[in-house]
Amino acid sequence: MEYIIVGAGLSGCVIAEQLAENPDNHILLIDKKKHIGGTCFDFYNDDGILVHKYGPHIFNTADREVWDYVNRFTEFYEYYHRVLGYVDGELVPIPFNLKSIRKLFPEEMAARLTEKLLEKYGYNTKVPILELDRQDDADLKWLSEYVYEKVFFHYTVKQWGQRPDEVGGRAMARIPVFVSTDDRYFQNAYQGVPKYGYTKMMMEMISSPNISILLGTDYHSILRRIEEDHTIRFLDREFNGKVIFTACLDGLFDYRLGELPYRSLDFQFQTLDEESHQPVATVNYPCNYGFTRITEFKKLTFQKHPKTTIMKEFSLAYDYRDDKHDPLYPIPKTANEELYRSYREEALKYKQLVLAGRLADYKYFTMAETIENALRIAKELKSSS
Ligand code: UDP
């Protein structure tokens, strides 16, 4: 069977790898970028420091199957991501937790708030900020308003261009308030970073001889959608295989139902002549400056180097006419999801087309969810061929 996979990101690479297990399958993996890996792409910069081109990626999952899968392609460093937020002049753990409370408030007040949180929610519970607000104790209400304002509100306005209550609950629930002293960003059983980087890991995935890779190629230049019979032509010839599509759906349909909104980021990298810049890999700046966070890559890649590279993230609306930025985050709002569903309905009329990944599924997937989804799709493809 012939397969064309549009997009050599994590979804595309996993599906290619799975399909390539069958020597009778031929897979063409294409990407308009000149590199594989999509937004998980990492590389050594001019100073020899390994950086994540599209923002910090930390692998974490509770799913043993996904963890075993990625471990087939690389070794991992054991790494537990810790994020500090600059709040009222202090660097405090994010997600906001009992240690953040102790660091920010006078002793007696911190003890009272802690006691009330423990009583109300119990130890080691995660409370989404929108949930914390829904109760009537005056102290907890005050705390909720404080955290909402100092941790979520401005960060979210910067990141999404809208208020936390306008952004879907799922996006906000990613970073809850944590009634715990565990200050790791994630609590999943399996966490780490690939020892030689994500790009290397994905290169391993797609190393099979029955996968051909074509980079720097826009899918529009080789694939054509035929409206009349809902088929897809390849190089203007009939094509009997499947097209696994991982790019934005609005682009596939020439934006005819409107543009699907995505957020993008502007990444500002800087290499500093110092060995260490900040105490942890990522420091969030919810209330200060125009950027949302600063990441120092060496702190999450374990690289030793006399210099260090940091990166600031500035969020902006994605515009497909602007080729300097990429669609990075689907915006989980009802109106956007409705528009997405209309595009999806159109797409599903094309029997050859299979949709996968954060962009084509219009879902704010983590890397682990992306892989889980890709493995499921590959399984369906394998059983139907
Ligand atoms: N968030 C926030 N303040 C923070 C960290 C996160 O308000 O200090 C909110 C914000 O809306 C953000 C979302 O939680 O977009 C998810 O954060 P996460 O770190 O998972 O974002 P990602 O790494 O995917 O950009």
Side-chain angles (χ1 to χ4, degrees), residues 312-380:
K312 293 178 182 154
E313 292 174 49
F314 295 84
S315 171
L316 66 152
Y318 171 67
D319 181 345
Y320 75 90
R321 297 163 203 86
D322 165 13
D323 59 8
K324 290 195 177 51
H325 295 98
D326 298 287
L328 300 176
Y329 300 87
I331 305 175
K333 277 181 85 167
T334 312
N336 303 346
E337 278 152 7
E338 273 165 16
L339 177 59
Y340 169 75
R341 267 196 294 278
S342 307
Y343 274 122
R344 192 178 174 94
E345 246 168 58
E346 276 303 299
L348 295 181
K349 290 181 188 159
Y350 293 76
K351 296 284 171 262
Q352 287 162 284
L353 209 53
V354 176
L355 307 177
R358 200 190 251 214
L359 300 180
D361 275 334
Y362 205 71
K363 287 208 184 100
Y364 190 2
F365 285 141
T366 61
M367 284 185 285
E369 288 166 340
T370 302
I371 292 174
E372 201 188 320
N373 192 49
L375 288 174
R376 183 184 49 74
I377 290 168
K379 201 169 170 189
E380 284 165 16

Side-chain angles (χ1 to χ4, degrees), residues 263-358:
R263 289 299 279 180
S264 186
L265 293 168
D266 197 45
F267 301 103
Q268 287 188 10
F269 288 88
Q270 220 180 336
T271 296
L272 307 169
D273 219 348
E274 57 188 11
E275 207 174 334
S276 169
H277 180 70
Q278 59 189 27
V280 289
T282 299
V283 175
N284 287 4
Y285 290 85
C287 303
N288 302 79
Y289 312 112
F291 48 85
T292 48
R293 58 188 178 188
I294 299 182
T295 295
E296 183 181 6
F297 292 100
K298 273 168 52 186
K299 297 265 156 66
L300 63 86
T301 58
F302 295 87
Q303 193 181 358
K304 299 270 173 280
H305 198 288
K307 294 184 183 180
T308 196
T309 301
I310 61 164
M311 185 201 62
K312 293 178 182 154
E313 292 174 49
F314 295 84
S315 171
L316 66 152
Y318 171 67
D319 181 345
Y320 75 90
R321 297 163 203 86
D322 165 13
D323 59 8
K324 290 195 177 51
H325 295 98
D326 298 287
L328 300 176
Y329 300 87
I331 305 175
K333 277 181 85 167
T334 312
N336 303 346
E337 278 152 7
E338 273 165 16
L339 177 59
Y340 169 75
R341 267 196 294 278
S342 307
Y343 274 122
R344 192 178 174 94
E345 246 168 58
E346 276 303 299
L348 295 181
K349 290 181 188 159
Y350 293 76
K351 296 284 171 262
Q352 287 162 284
L353 209 53
V354 176
L355 307 177
R358 200 190 251 214

